[in-house]
Amino acid sequence: MNKVVVFDMDGLMFDTEPLYYKANQKTADALSIPFDYSFYEKYIGASETDFFQAMFDQFPKNNVQQFIIDSKKDVEDLLSSEPPAIKKGLVELLAYLKEQGYKTVVASSSERKLVEKLLEMTDLKGYFDAYIGGDEVAKSKPHPEIFQKAVQLVGGCTV
């Protein structure tokens, strides 16, 4: 049986939350949505679906629909121009796990396309045997589906 370590991406591997908030605030400001950090922080680690549903519940629907379109572009633009900082000790930990024969997988609430892009931009992709995004599972965290699928991707077994 494979020894597997599953990593969350946002907040654990990269300091992405300040960048996500900055991009989302820019989008909200442009659309005159009264969005602030106290609203945003409630959904850190949640799926985009849950975040956007909360926005639909609180803000005008037309604005939220445009926010969804614009914020994805604003996040991608910001992350392309301002790659997130890698958390201290991550590279050393990944190197150690590889040396010890562990399989490593990223399981993130972020979309798979963004996970791949950030791994490539930070030269970390080669440390991982697989990755899975929140858009590839039916149920978002904290439901265990994404972690179970992550382990299965590398032939591991969950208990």
Side-chain angles (χ1 to χ4, degrees):
M1 178 177 359
N2 289 326
K3 300 182 289 183
V4 181
V5 178
V6 180
F7 287 81
D8 185 20
M9 186 180 74
D10 297 312
L12 178 74
M13 295 172 48
F14 305 120
D15 194 14
T16 52
E17 293 308 333
L19 297 176
Y20 288 148
Y21 174 68
K22 183 178 176 180
N24 282 309
Q25 187 64 62
K26 175 186 173 198
T27 307
D29 289 347
L31 296 168
S32 299
I33 296 174
F35 175 93
D36 61 17
Y37 191 77
S38 65
F39 177 83
Y40 175 79
E41 73 180 336
K42 293 176 196 170
Y43 300 95
I44 292 174
S47 70
E48 281 188 342
T49 302
D50 292 343
F51 175 63
F52 293 144
Q53 184 57 55
M55 290 193 69
F56 277 118
D57 292 344
Q58 186 158 342
F59 305 118
K61 292 184 182 7
N62 289 343
N63 286 11
V64 174
Q65 288 170 335
Q66 192 61 48
F67 178 91
I68 291 169
I69 295 164
D70 295 352
S71 68
K72 287 185 181 200
K73 182 180 182 330
D74 287 344
V75 166
E76 286 180 20
D77 290 350
L78 184 61
L79 290 174
S80 294
S81 65
E82 230 178 288
I86 297 171
K87 292 285 190 157
K88 183 179 178 183
L90 178 64
V91 173
E92 295 82 2
L93 175 59
L94 291 169
Y96 171 80
L97 292 171
K98 285 296 171 197
E99 288 171 9
Q100 299 301 312
Y102 284 82
K103 298 286 186 180
T104 53
V105 186
V106 176
S108 176
S109 294
S110 296
E111 291 183 358
R112 179 185 178 86
K113 179 175 84 171
L114 182 58
V115 173
E116 184 172 23
K117 181 175 186 168
L118 291 179
L119 291 176
E120 288 172 351
M121 287 174 63
T122 56
D123 295 324
L124 293 178
K125 190 173 180 184
Y127 286 103
F128 291 95
D129 298 291
Y131 46 90
I132 185 170
D135 56 323
E136 298 177 274
V137 293
K139 297 179 181 171
S140 62
K141 296 178 193 175
H143 191 277
E145 179 186 10
I146 194 167
F147 303 109
Q148 293 165 338
K149 284 188 173 185
V151 171
Q152 290 168 358
L153 284 172
V154 292
C157 177
T158 57
V159 288

